[in-house]
Amino acid sequence: MTEPHYDIAGSGPVLLVVPGGAGHPMGLGPVTERLAERFTVVTYDPLGLAHGRLGRPVADQRVADWSEGAYAVLEEVLAAGESAYALGMSSGAIAALDLLARHPGRLRHVVAHEPPCVTLLPDGAEQRARLIEGLRAGQTSAEGPMAVFLAHVLEPFSAYAPAFTASPGRLTVAAGAGSRGQVLHDTAASVAERTGGTFTEFPGGHLGALEHPVAFADRVTGALIPSR
């Protein structure tokens, strides 16, 4: 495994952020800035795309590699015996789920926003095929993080199905309010049911963190540290 790439901002309890797509944190500045008012935000860049590796060859990705890379980041930033919060979005949410399954002792609470675990649906194979076809049909560039996602992340990650039960109060699975009636909203509800997580809605749609960064960040904070 290569040296993990990540950035740190803010102060307070550690919040690991795993971006969606190919893991490039582009556009997440406003939401992480808001979160950094309450947390030490550690933004993981699993492929190092924002750290000088964009344009280099990329192999087909494995969920386990992303989650173990995230665990390596936590090993670097946490003291012995400490645990962190985690926020994963889309493909990053799948990595966060796998991290919770593999290393529950290092995590206090995970928020997984719209993980595309579509195979959990009754017609999961058909929905997965549609998802892949639809996203690839809309591809406009053969370069950049989106191209990496479509070529090397989308297929293996959308095949992931969580097979664990989270401890009570340790997992929140969120869907965007704007995603109601769409496949990823139904998928998030299915993930919550499968894992025993709490299902909730966040502002915006699948890209709620970019569309409504302050409101999205505040909902994350409320899920991780409920007001008493």
Side-chain angles (χ1 to χ4, degrees):
M1 183 180 296
T2 60
E3 179 182 354
H5 300 276
Y6 58 92
D7 295 299
I8 299 179
S11 60
V14 171
L15 169 59
L16 177 74
V17 174
V18 188
H24 193 300
M26 58 184 177
L28 292 182
V31 72
T32 56
E33 181 179 345
R34 180 69 169 184
L35 289 168
E37 296 176 10
R38 295 288 303 274
F39 301 94
T40 297
V41 180
V42 179
T43 304
Y44 175 42
D45 177 7
L47 297 179
L49 300 183
H51 292 81
R53 300 189 63 84
L54 185 60
R56 299 187 186 183
V58 175
D60 289 344
Q61 296 298 291
R62 297 173 63 247
V63 173
D65 289 340
W66 281 34
S67 61
E68 289 300 324
Y71 176 68
V73 171
L74 293 181
E75 288 291 284
E76 289 192 8
V77 302
L78 292 176
E82 287 186 348
S83 56
Y85 298 104
L87 164 65
M89 294 161 282
S90 191
S91 54
I94 288 178
L97 289 170
D98 197 58
L99 176 63
L100 180 60
R102 291 170 179 270
H103 303 287
R106 272 308 211 187
L107 296 170
R108 299 189 196 183
H109 193 124
V110 170
V111 171
H113 184 263
E114 296 205 5
C117 304
V118 291
T119 60
L120 294 183
L121 299 175
D123 56 346
E126 180 181 353
Q127 291 290 359
R128 179 169 176 258
R130 287 180 183 177
L131 178 69
I132 292 170
E133 180 181 4
L135 288 173
R136 287 182 172 165
Q139 183 176 5
T140 58
S141 173
E143 300 179 354
M146 186 62 178
V148 174
F149 167 68
L150 293 173
H152 302 293
V153 180
L154 175 58
E155 285 200 44
F157 275 57
S158 61
Y160 178 83
F164 71 97
T165 300
S167 299
R170 300 282 295 280
L171 173 62
T172 297
V173 185
S179 297
R180 291 176 191 166
Q182 299 177 18
V183 65
L184 292 184
H185 192 283
D186 294 342
T187 299
S190 295
V191 171
E193 183 177 4
R194 168 69 69 89
T195 60
T198 299
F199 176 73
T200 190
E201 287 187 338
F202 276 16
H206 189 63
L207 301 179
L210 279 64
E211 298 162 344
H212 306 284
V214 172
F216 187 96
D218 289 349
R219 288 299 300 274
V220 170
T221 300
L224 295 175
I225 309 178
S227 57
R228 299 184 183 278

